[in-house]
Amino acid sequence: MGGLRATSFSSIFFWCLVFLFLVSSDLVYAYKERGTAESINLNHTYIVQTSSLPPSCVCRNSTTGHTNRKHLKVVHRHGPCSHLDQHKIQVPNLTQILIQDQLRVNWIHSRLAKSLGQDAFQASTTTLPTKWFTGSYVVTVGLGTPKEDLTLVFDTGSDLSWTQCEPCADGCYDQQEPKFNPSSSTSYSNVSCSSVQCSRDIKIDCASSTCVYGVSYSDGSKTRGFLAKERLTLTSSDELDGFLFGCGQHNDGIFGREAGLLGLGRGAESLVSQTAQKYGSFFSYCLPTLCGSTGFLSFGSGGGTSNSLKFTNLGQHADEPSFYYIDIVDISVGGQNLNLPSSLFSSQGSVIDSGTVFTSLPKTAYAALRSAFQQQMSNYLTKSPPAPFDTCYDLSGYNTVYIPKITFLFGNNVNVDIVPEGILVESATEYCLAFVGNSDENRGATFGSYQQQKYEVVYDAAGGRLGFGAGACD
Ligand SMILES: *[C@@H]1O[C@H](CO)[C@@H](O)[C@H](O)[C@H]1NC(C)=O
Ligand SMILES: *[C@@H]1O[C@H](CO)[C@@H](O)[C@H](O)[C@H]1NC(C)=O
Ligand SMILES: *[C@@H]1O[C@H](CO)[C@@H](O)[C@H](O)[C@H]1NC(C)=O
Ligand SMILES: *[C@@H]1O[C@H](CO)[C@@H](O)[C@H](O)[C@H]1NC(C)=O
């Protein structure tokens, strides 16, 4: 089993650095290859042991996270705890992930530009860009009565949840679990065309007075079917009646084998908005590393695990309500602030998004980050990248590597140290700085899932707050 896993992971990026932290003192003397002892400030540096062995990606029971009964278990779709059959998944390589990220970031910023009355980009409210690559993380929920278990990608950037439904009149893709069958459920009902929920945003047609929804994607893939209501079972103690979702009769173009999507955006059709009465528009999650075990997704306050949460402001734009807007003030590298002008991030809005993998930054901010990082990593051999990243290192000759911490400074004095697994990404034989720069200076940042790893991220939409709690899952 371990061998199979290792093989399936070798084709994709993985996190195979082994991290060791020396906590006895915050100053150590390190002999770097020049032979001189230099002082390293551990407040601002990660000490990383490299390992020549592939990581043992085995599903362990998390010591944190999903142990709470009110938590849904979150797993990486390609991670060791994923039950999706990896041999049947077209696992994207780094180049493909970056292309998908780019499309997604374009889509987010085209919507933001449109909401600000700019039309610098082609924008369409119903066009999602990616080939279903709306996130790397999945949860399993129950739908219907009796409930059927369905594994869904969760996405903080979209609203309507959907699953593939029998009889799949116009075609479905392969999924892991049996497809949802409305006729086997006693709690299923169609939403009629005259219902207020059959809104202009999602309605594309009427079929015998049943509302037909449609979301199409820029590469031609789409989901289309009946707008419906069902009982949704999140955990054994959390059942929701009348949950609005898309019962897809035509879905195509997926990489994974998940049954559909759980929409955690801020718009009206999302699970968060639909359950605002019950959970107060409050949820949190922890995204595990690829080689880690399980994280969690929990709804309502009091479900989280961190007792050291720090809250920054969560903004809202009336015209583009689906996204979660964040307030990035500056970034520091190895304890040194880049002193970026805050207008860089605020001009068009910056968002946090579970469906983007690598954080993208305004061009100037990325250039400053890269330059500071390169300067502090100047002891290491750079490698001109065949990889899609532009700042890469050959770390194969080192047992111990010193990596400058990268810290995001959010409004309200909230500092978030990106975990070491979120700073570098392994690509073939090199390690690359895992951030990208926007092509357009006017675009804000998109804070992606790679940089959110291991933090509990708390979305308190009603309270206008976004919280971060370190070390909530592994
Ligand atoms: C590291 O941080 C601690 C706590 O802020 C501080 O007391 C200590 O002086 C710092 N050490 C160095 C070497 O900067
Ligand atoms: C993980 O936890 C579950 C539930 O607590 C338990 O049944 C199972 O045996 C554990 N597995 C391992 C490998 O420890
Ligand atoms: C990634 O996959 C694409 C499409 O299969 C292929 O053309 C490309 O060479 C691959 N890139 C890397 C770095 O493996
Ligand atoms: C839902 O509506 C569709 C289209 O009108 C219809 O074929 C289907 O039987 C309806 N399902 C139920 C349970 O009413």
Side-chain angles (χ1 to χ4, degrees):
M1 191 63 196
L4 279 180
R5 284 294 180 191
T7 309
S8 71
F9 283 122
S10 64
S11 60
I12 54 165
F13 63 103
F14 52 79
W15 291 258
C16 104
L17 294 170
V18 174
F19 298 96
L20 276 190
F21 300 95
L22 308 178
V23 290
S24 53
S25 151
D26 47 64
L27 271 183
V28 297
Y29 289 89
Y31 288 91
K32 295 193 177 174
E33 78 280 10
R34 281 193 244 115
T36 55
E38 290 179 39
S39 71
I40 305 282
N41 185 339
L42 284 183
N43 285 350
H44 306 308
T45 312
Y46 290 121
I47 300 185
V48 176
Q49 299 295 123
T50 60
S51 166
S52 54
L53 298 170
S56 55
C57 281
V58 290
C59 186
R60 305 177 308 273
N61 271 350
S62 181
T63 48
T64 49
H66 78 282
T67 43
N68 187 315
R69 277 181 62 246
K70 289 188 73 77
H71 285 171
L72 283 86
K73 194 161 82 174
V74 168
V75 303
H76 194 290
R77 58 137 73 104
H78 307 308
C81 297
S82 169
H83 70 287
L84 302 174
D85 185 345
Q86 300 295 316
H87 297 286
K88 294 185 176 163
I89 295 182
Q90 189 191 334
V91 180
N93 63 32
L94 268 183
T95 310
Q96 291 169 311
I97 291 172
L98 278 182
I99 291 170
Q100 290 155 354
D101 266 4
Q102 187 62 59
L103 288 166
R104 183 160 174 110
V105 166
N106 288 351
W107 167 72
I108 290 172
H109 287 284
S110 67
R111 289 179 58 163
L112 295 183
K114 199 177 156 210
S115 75
L116 294 173
Q118 305 164 354
D119 46 24
F121 319 109
Q122 290 284 320
S124 161
T125 49
T126 52
T127 302
L128 272 167
T130 69
K131 207 158 188 176
W132 301 127
F133 198 78
T134 41
S136 314
Y137 293 94
V138 294
V139 291
T140 302
V141 300
L143 193 67
T145 313
K147 79 178 170 76
E148 292 185 32
D149 283 342
L150 299 171
T151 298
L152 307 176
V153 166
F154 71 90
D155 182 12
T156 59
S158 54
D159 295 327
L160 184 70
S161 303
W162 58 268
T163 187
Q164 305 200 95
C165 276
E166 296 290 3
C168 284
D170 301 312
C172 290
Y173 57 80
D174 248 17
Q175 70 178 46
Q176 188 83 17
E177 292 120 353
K179 293 179 194 78
F180 182 70
N181 191 347
S183 62
S184 316
S185 171
T186 55
S187 46
Y188 178 91
S189 63
N190 281 330
V191 169
S192 87
C193 276
S194 56
S195 158
V196 287
Q197 282 154 330
C198 187
S199 76
R200 244 184 313 170
D201 278 357
I202 49 176
K203 173 187 171 180
I204 56 167
D205 202 0
C206 276
S208 323
S209 82
T210 298
C211 185
V212 176
Y213 79 93
V215 184
S216 40
Y217 297 75
S218 68
D219 64 355
S221 52
K222 50 180 126 11
T223 175
R224 190 178 71 221
F226 305 121
L227 195 64
K229 289 188 169 184
E230 244 313 356
R231 169 172 297 171
L232 177 69
T233 305
L234 291 174
T235 67
S236 52
S237 55
D238 284 274
E239 291 183 348
L240 310 163
D241 284 318
F243 174 63
L244 186 78
F245 75 108
C247 199
Q249 295 294 320
H250 183 196
N251 322 281
D252 66 336
I254 196 157
F255 276 118
R257 288 172 53 79
E258 48 273 342
L261 180 145
L262 193 66
L264 298 179
R266 220 170 163 177
E269 284 108 18
S270 82
L271 174 59
V272 179
S273 302
Q274 288 190 53
T275 56
Q277 292 286 333
K278 188 173 166 110
Y279 300 127
S281 303
F282 190 112
F283 70 98
S284 73
Y285 60 63
C286 185
L287 308 177
T289 61
L290 176 57
C291 251
S293 42
T294 55
F296 63 86
L297 170 64
S298 109
F299 293 92
S301 58
T305 58
S306 299
N307 41 25
S308 58
L309 288 171
K310 297 179 286 190
F311 284 95
T312 179
N313 323 320
L314 196 57
Q316 193 163 22
H317 286 197
D319 292 332
E320 198 44 80
S322 301
F323 301 128
Y324 295 95
Y325 298 91
I326 52 174
D327 177 20
I328 300 174
V329 177
D330 201 2
I331 299 171
S332 76
V333 178
Q336 292 163 20
N337 287 3
L338 300 178
N339 293 318
L340 301 167
S342 60
S343 60
L344 269 188
F345 296 105
S346 59
S347 58
Q348 207 201 67
S350 292
V351 303
I352 181 167
D353 181 37
S354 71
T356 302
V357 179
F358 299 109
T359 294
S360 76
L361 296 169
K363 207 175 189 170
T364 315
Y366 177 70
L369 171 72
R370 179 179 56 192
S371 151
F373 190 78
Q374 285 173 342
Q375 199 189 352
Q376 295 180 40
M377 290 283 286
S378 59
N379 281 310
Y380 299 104
L381 281 176
T382 54
K383 201 155 173 191
S384 58
F389 292 95
D390 64 7
T391 299
C392 301
Y393 300 91
D394 177 358
L395 301 179
S396 56
Y398 303 89
N399 293 324
T400 305
V401 180
Y402 299 86
I403 301 175
K405 286 188 184 174
I406 294 181
T407 306
F408 273 64
L409 317 174
F410 292 98
N412 207 25
N413 274 322
V414 171
N415 294 357
V416 173
D417 288 338
I418 306 302
V419 296
E421 292 92 332
I423 294 178
L424 293 172
V425 57
E426 187 179 8
S427 169
T429 58
E430 62 218 40
Y431 291 89
C432 304
L433 179 63
F435 291 80
V436 296
N438 292 336
S439 52
D440 187 318
E441 191 56 78
N442 292 323
R443 298 184 184 186
T446 308
F447 194 70
S449 63
Y450 201 75
Q451 276 73 37
Q452 297 173 37
Q453 293 179 78
K454 298 166 91 168
Y455 271 91
E456 176 174 11
V457 185
V458 177
Y459 295 73
D460 178 1
R465 304 185 304 167
L466 179 75
F468 290 94
C473 64
D474 48 18

